Amino acid sequence: MKTDRERIDELHVKGLKIVQDPSCFCYGTDAVLLADFATRNLNGDVKIIDFCTGNAIIPILMKNREGKLPFKASYTALELQDRPFELALKSVGLNGMNQNIKVLQGDIREAQNMFPAESFDAVTCNPPYMKTSDGRQSSNIEKMTARQELKCTLEDVFRASSHVLKDGGDFFMIHRPSRIKDIYATAAEYPFSLIQERFVKPSPSKEASMVLLHYRKATAEQDSKITREPLIIRDDEGNYTEELKEIYSF
């Protein structure tokens, strides 16, 4: 189904494009940062599943970076909602990535029935950020589902990731710092250890607006957590930082 509002946007990366519909939730900086964060922390041949994939922006960006970093992957992109699922199929096809990215429609809460245990090496997820009670109500169910934990909670994300990941597998997520205590508490209920976290700040003088998290499914030895210096989006003059420009031009 094509709507009058559907559009094709340039990603300005190696000629990549993305199909979007403003009536749904369009991708933002968080997706770009998560794709970059995950690719820089993976090595070798890996099988990756992207939960809450939307229009499949994260696997598309990650696939583009293969050859520039020491990893090669096959991707599964899982999306619950009908319209974003259609956009994901179109976006993957438009970029000639049908052989590399498998787009599935399904509910993360049914992951145990959809995928064999320990069938992936890595998980990426840009989940809904807000609890249902915290979010503004709207008649736009696509945007509400993308923003609020109506059909995907932190518990759902960690439970599904625990099931699909191999022992020693990597889990990458971006979220809001306001939910960090909830994230820590939920992760503690599953066999995950926090490997790395990095806060993202709009500018040096502002509070963090996002946090990048790298967990690993528990192995015999627990890894030590690394807390990196914040990633800054713009400098004090309002210009994009060199790191952010490098991430977008990678």
Side-chain angles (χ1 to χ4, degrees):
M1 178 182 68
K2 187 179 189 302
T3 70
D4 293 336
R5 302 188 68 182
E6 184 176 301
R7 68 179 193 239
I8 297 175
D9 292 340
E10 297 280 348
L11 289 177
H12 307 293
V13 179
K14 200 180 178 180
L16 295 180
K17 300 177 181 179
I18 196 79
V19 184
Q20 303 208 94
D21 183 341
S23 66
C24 299
F25 195 81
C26 294
Y27 88 93
T29 301
D30 50 359
V32 179
L33 296 182
L34 179 59
D36 178 78
F37 184 64
T39 53
R40 293 178 190 272
N41 287 283
L42 289 170
N43 291 282
D45 293 342
V46 291
K47 289 180 63 178
I48 301 172
I49 183 165
D50 183 47
F51 289 138
C52 310
T53 201
N55 56 10
I57 180 65
I58 291 171
I60 287 171
L61 288 173
M62 291 181 70
K63 180 62 186 174
N64 175 66
R65 298 186 180 200
E66 292 182 17
K68 303 174 185 178
L69 293 168
F71 85 102
K72 184 177 182 180
S74 61
Y75 301 86
T76 297
L78 183 67
E79 173 55 40
L80 171 64
Q81 300 190 86
D82 293 340
R83 185 61 179 141
F85 171 68
E86 293 175 359
L87 297 176
L89 287 173
K90 292 180 179 181
S91 294
V92 170
L94 185 65
N95 290 292
M97 295 180 175
N98 285 319
Q99 298 301 312
N100 311 108
I101 303 173
K102 182 179 181 180
V103 183
L104 298 177
Q105 185 170 19
D107 193 329
I108 191 174
R109 296 168 294 186
E110 297 297 323
Q112 288 181 307
N113 299 323
M114 295 181 66
F115 307 103
E118 301 187 0
S119 52
F120 291 92
D121 302 291
V123 170
T124 54
C125 187
N126 184 4
Y129 292 158
M130 294 180 286
K131 295 180 180 179
T132 305
S133 58
D134 296 337
R136 183 178 61 186
Q137 301 304 300
S138 169
S139 59
N140 188 320
I141 189 63
E142 285 88 0
K143 287 187 176 181
M144 279 187 64
T145 301
R147 291 170 173 162
Q148 300 177 32
E149 292 182 332
L150 296 175
K151 298 180 181 180
C152 176
T153 64
L154 283 171
E155 179 81 18
D156 297 327
V157 171
F158 278 100
R159 183 189 303 112
S161 298
S162 177
H163 171 72
V164 302
L165 278 176
K166 298 176 182 177
D167 191 43
D170 296 295
F171 169 62
F172 302 96
M173 180 172 69
I174 190 165
H175 218 291
R176 286 187 176 175
S178 61
R179 299 293 306 279
I180 198 68
K181 290 184 179 179
D182 293 335
I183 294 169
Y184 290 161
T186 305
E189 298 176 10
Y190 293 89
F192 284 104
S193 58
L194 181 56
I195 302 300
Q196 183 181 177
E197 68 180 12
R198 191 176 192 194
F199 290 91
V200 181
K201 301 176 69 172
S203 68
S205 59
K206 292 185 178 179
E207 295 294 320
S209 58
M210 293 177 278
V211 59
L212 291 157
L213 297 148
H214 176 193
Y215 278 90
R216 183 163 293 145
K217 190 172 178 181
T219 53
E221 295 182 5
Q222 296 292 307
D223 298 276
S224 299
K225 182 182 77 171
I226 299 172
T227 300
R228 298 175 59 190
E229 288 295 315
L231 192 163
I232 309 297
I233 302 295
R234 295 177 185 268
D235 61 25
D236 288 325
E237 284 71 47
N239 302 308
Y240 287 118
T241 62
E242 291 302 314
E243 182 175 12
L244 191 80
K245 287 190 286 187
E246 195 271 338
I247 288 172
Y248 265 84
S249 64
F250 198 94

